[in-house]
């Protein structure tokens, strides 16, 4: 289950069709990152580079040159090297870039200083995302300045630089059928992992043990890495939005909030569930949980073509504010409380974000200062929450330290939406039934 060479070629063709005549686009790969001394973090390809090539090696550069007679898709990458491959693993080499990844031309990365300036020279516009790699920014400018220095001999430097992000990220925002199949699989693996964590959980176990269960399920099903640092927060830790220490013991009577998703074929899932450590919600926990679930369902109901991005968030705010008033945690008229942002003491983040090759995926949320209209193929999270700080002295003690978030991944379809992560229970009754089974 991978994106085909044909689809990668179509993406490059579509991008080049949006570029101005006589232009060039330059996209570097990700680089290996040192973890400590002589060890590196596992390599993960730059999402834009992956989207256009499917090429998974570091130290590579993609160049698109619309109209070039000798081929429009040029790749620079590492050469084959039997000694380095013995130590570090297989390399495709320029030959593999052509044979396996459809490049029209491919050159050793060590030859880039001699070849790429010649591809830039004479082009009127360079499409490049400045600011993402300071080192590569310097190299780009050095090549261009070298061309400028040779103007007296007839060299023609580019006249303009244009950020590539806007065009490319708008393309990435709407997922193809193949991308949706991969994201559906990522959602299924992640859902199974959350079920496993619920079934494993009991008082006295540690947060990191639940994390291990989740990530074991990911890897066992072909998703070797989490899409982000897994959050497993028991008790008061559930009120810390990005809690990643995952080191505390899980206590009887507490809730545990798990925000974790796998990465499958470079596409992310992002799911949150909150459940009782002992398998039974208390009265107050159940009241907050049911309110968050009601808000999430109201947000999901707003996802359909033509509705705008913020309608889901507005729906969750309304439900949560009304519910907090009924529970006595807020006082006042609901419209005024919403206008004043009073709910932000308990619900301080937005209802969701785009999802795709990145967890917080690319794509503008507003176009011309107007919330973006939803289109089939867009994928987002819906994740309202309520977090009552253990230090909040304005509420009764029985509410303090309750943190609940519920999150699913939702794709916009032609006639509504599809929940990609519905394989894990989320009603309180279903969670309790699973945990005591």
């Amino acid at each position: 289950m991978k994106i085909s060479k044909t689809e990668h070629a179509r993406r490059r063709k579509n991008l080049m069709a949006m570029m101005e005549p006589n232009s060039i686009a330059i996209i570097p790969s990700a680089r290996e990152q040192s973890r400590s001394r002589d060890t590196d973090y596992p390599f993960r390809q730059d999402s834009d580079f992956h989207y256009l090539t499917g090429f998974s090696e570091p130290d590579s550069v993609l160049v698109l040159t619309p109209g070039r007679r000798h081929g429009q898709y040029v790749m620079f990458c590492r050469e084959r090297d039997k000694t380095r491959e013995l130590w570090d693993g297989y390399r495709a080499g320029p030959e593999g870039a052509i044979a396996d990844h459809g490049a029209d031309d491919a050159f050793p990365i060590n030859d880039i200083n001699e070849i790429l300036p010649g591809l830039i020279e004479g082009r009127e516009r360079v499409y490049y995302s400045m600011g993402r790699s300071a080192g590569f920014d310097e190299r780009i400018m050095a090549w261009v300045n070298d061309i400028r220095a040779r103007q007296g001999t007839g060299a023609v430097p580019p006249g303009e630089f244009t950020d590539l992000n806007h065009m490319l990220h708008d393309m990435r925002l709407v997922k193809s059928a193949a991308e949706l199949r991969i994201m559906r699989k990522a959602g299924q693996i992640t859902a199974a992992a959350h079920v496993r964590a619920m079934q494993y959980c009991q008082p006295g176990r540690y947060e990191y043990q639940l994390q291990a269960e989740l990530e074991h399920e990911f890897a066992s099903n072909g998703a070797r890495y989490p899409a982000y640092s897994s959050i497993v927060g028991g008790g008061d830790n559930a009120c810390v939005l990005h809690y990643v220490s995952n080191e505390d013991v899980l206590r009887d009577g507490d809730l545990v909030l798990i925000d974790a998703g796998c990465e499958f074929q470079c596409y992310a899932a992002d799911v949150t569930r909150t459940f009782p450590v002992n398998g039974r919600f208390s009265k107050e926990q159940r009241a907050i949980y049911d309110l968050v679930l009601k808000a999430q369902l109201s947000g999901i109901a707003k996802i359909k073509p033509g509705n705008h991005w913020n309608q889901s968030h507005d729906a969750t705010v309304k439900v949560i504010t009304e519910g907090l008033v009924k529970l006595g945690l807020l006082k006042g008229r609901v419209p005024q409380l919403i206008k004043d942002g009073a709910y932000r003491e308990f619900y301080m983040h937005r209802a969701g974000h785009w999802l795709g090759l990145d967890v917080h995926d690319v794509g503008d949320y507003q176009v011309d200062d107007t919330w973006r209209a939803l289109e089939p193929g867009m994928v987002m999270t819906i994740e309202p929450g309520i977090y009552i700080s253990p230090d909040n002295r304005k509420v009764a003690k029985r509410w303090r330290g309750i943190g609940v978030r519920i999150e699913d991944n939702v794709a916009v379809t032609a006639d509504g939406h599809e929940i990609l992560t519905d394989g894990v229970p989320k009603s309180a009754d279903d969670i309790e039934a699973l945990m005591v089974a």
Side-chain angles (χ1 to χ4, degrees):
M1 185 182 291
K2 291 185 177 181
I3 302 298
S4 67
K5 287 169 59 176
T6 301
E7 180 157 337
H8 284 122
R10 183 168 61 249
R11 293 169 178 178
R12 293 189 297 270
K13 181 180 179 181
N14 290 343
L15 179 60
M16 286 189 284
M18 292 187 283
M19 293 166 59
E20 293 289 336
N22 196 30
S23 61
I24 184 171
I26 303 170
I27 304 101
S29 71
R31 302 184 66 184
E32 290 178 306
Q33 300 292 324
S34 174
R35 181 179 183 273
S36 64
R37 197 171 172 84
D38 60 349
T39 61
D40 292 333
Y41 287 104
F43 177 74
R44 201 276 189 185
Q45 188 58 276
D46 173 80
S47 294
D48 287 342
F49 191 92
H50 174 82
Y51 181 79
L52 293 169
T53 69
F55 194 73
S56 59
E57 296 184 23
D59 301 325
S60 306
V61 177
L62 164 66
V63 180
L64 298 177
T65 54
R68 179 174 177 263
R69 285 188 305 164
H70 300 295
Q72 302 178 112
Y73 169 24
V74 180
M75 179 79 82
F76 294 88
C77 62
R78 303 177 302 182
E79 287 189 275
R80 298 294 307 274
D81 182 324
K82 288 184 179 179
T83 301
R84 291 318 314 165
E85 289 180 55
L86 174 66
W87 286 90
D88 302 326
Y90 173 79
R91 296 180 177 186
E95 305 86 353
I98 293 171
D100 300 328
H101 294 275
D104 298 314
D105 241 336
F107 303 99
I109 190 67
N110 290 337
D111 293 344
I112 195 169
N113 289 334
E114 288 72 44
I115 296 172
L116 187 51
L119 297 175
I120 296 172
E121 185 177 343
R123 296 279 169 173
E124 295 177 12
R125 185 186 301 249
V126 175
Y127 288 91
Y128 173 72
S129 299
M130 198 74 71
R132 292 169 61 176
S133 169
F136 202 81
D137 291 353
E138 291 176 4
R139 297 183 73 182
I140 288 276
M141 295 314 302
W143 293 324
V144 171
N145 288 334
D146 179 66
I147 298 170
R148 287 172 178 161
R150 294 186 286 106
Q151 281 182 280
T153 63
V156 180
E160 293 185 45
F161 272 79
T162 298
D163 193 340
L164 189 63
N165 284 351
H166 179 71
M167 294 189 306
L168 181 53
H169 292 175
D170 255 21
M171 288 174 57
R172 282 178 51 188
L173 180 56
V174 178
K175 275 61 179 178
S176 68
E179 288 179 291
L180 288 171
R181 283 194 294 271
I182 292 172
M183 294 189 72
R184 198 173 288 118
K185 179 67 173 178
Q188 291 166 355
I189 294 170
T190 298
H194 278 263
V195 168
R196 178 174 176 149
M198 288 180 185
Q199 293 174 318
Y200 177 80
C201 185
Q202 64 183 40
R205 288 187 167 149
Y206 283 81
E207 294 165 342
Y208 57 76
Q209 292 180 294
L210 266 64
Q211 178 183 354
E213 293 295 313
L214 288 157
E215 295 177 8
H216 180 275
E217 188 72 16
F218 293 168
S220 296
N221 288 281
R224 292 184 56 205
Y225 303 107
Y228 53 97
S229 297
S230 299
I231 295 169
V232 183
D236 294 349
N237 296 334
C239 297
V240 180
L241 298 184
H242 291 160
Y243 172 81
V244 292
S245 299
N246 300 352
E247 61 187 6
D248 287 349
V249 68
L250 297 166
R251 298 175 302 184
D252 191 16
D254 281 350
L255 295 176
V256 57
L257 183 156
I258 295 180
D259 186 339
C262 74
E263 181 175 278
F264 183 72
Q265 300 294 337
C266 282
Y267 286 83
D270 185 1
V271 173
T272 306
R273 289 294 186 268
T274 309
F275 53 91
V277 171
N278 63 13
R280 293 291 182 188
F281 288 93
S282 72
K283 178 182 176 182
E284 288 77 17
Q285 291 168 350
R286 177 72 177 253
I288 297 298
Y289 187 91
D290 287 346
L291 176 54
V292 173
L293 179 58
K294 182 179 179 181
Q296 198 222 20
L297 295 175
S298 72
I300 291 174
K302 296 295 183 182
I303 299 178
K304 60 182 180 181
N307 277 5
H308 66 67
W309 164 260
N310 207 49
Q311 283 178 255
S312 289
H313 178 70
D314 289 342
T316 64
V317 166
K318 184 173 186 294
V319 170
I320 283 176
T321 305
E322 290 174 344
L324 291 173
V325 169
K326 288 180 181 178
L327 293 174
L329 295 169
L330 283 178
K331 291 181 171 57
R333 295 177 60 252
V334 169
Q336 190 63 46
L337 290 169
I338 292 174
K339 183 178 179 180
D340 294 342
Y343 61 89
R344 293 195 186 101
E345 181 178 0
F346 304 99
Y347 176 29
M348 60 289 296
H349 57 78
R350 298 195 63 78
H353 51 79
W354 300 128
L355 186 71
L357 284 168
D358 293 303
V359 180
H360 286 251
D361 207 29
V362 295
D364 294 330
Y365 293 97
Q366 292 186 332
V367 178
D368 297 328
D369 296 323
T370 301
W371 291 112
R372 188 165 207 144
L374 301 181
E375 303 173 32
M378 293 177 173
V379 183
M380 67 196 69
T381 67
I382 298 295
E383 50 178 307
I386 294 175
Y387 316 89
I388 307 173
S389 168
D391 300 321
N392 189 337
R393 303 302 172 190
K394 294 184 287 186
V395 303
K397 185 177 181 180
R398 68 181 186 276
W399 298 108
R400 297 175 198 163
I402 295 177
V404 175
R405 182 165 66 253
I406 307 171
E407 175 182 22
D408 282 295
N409 307 159
V410 187
V412 184
T413 64
D415 56 359
H417 61 262
E418 174 190 359
I419 301 175
L420 305 180
T421 50
D422 59 358
V424 52
K426 63 181 176 183
S427 78
D429 288 341
D430 287 345
I431 288 172
E432 289 185 342
L434 175 69
M435 293 186 70
V436 301

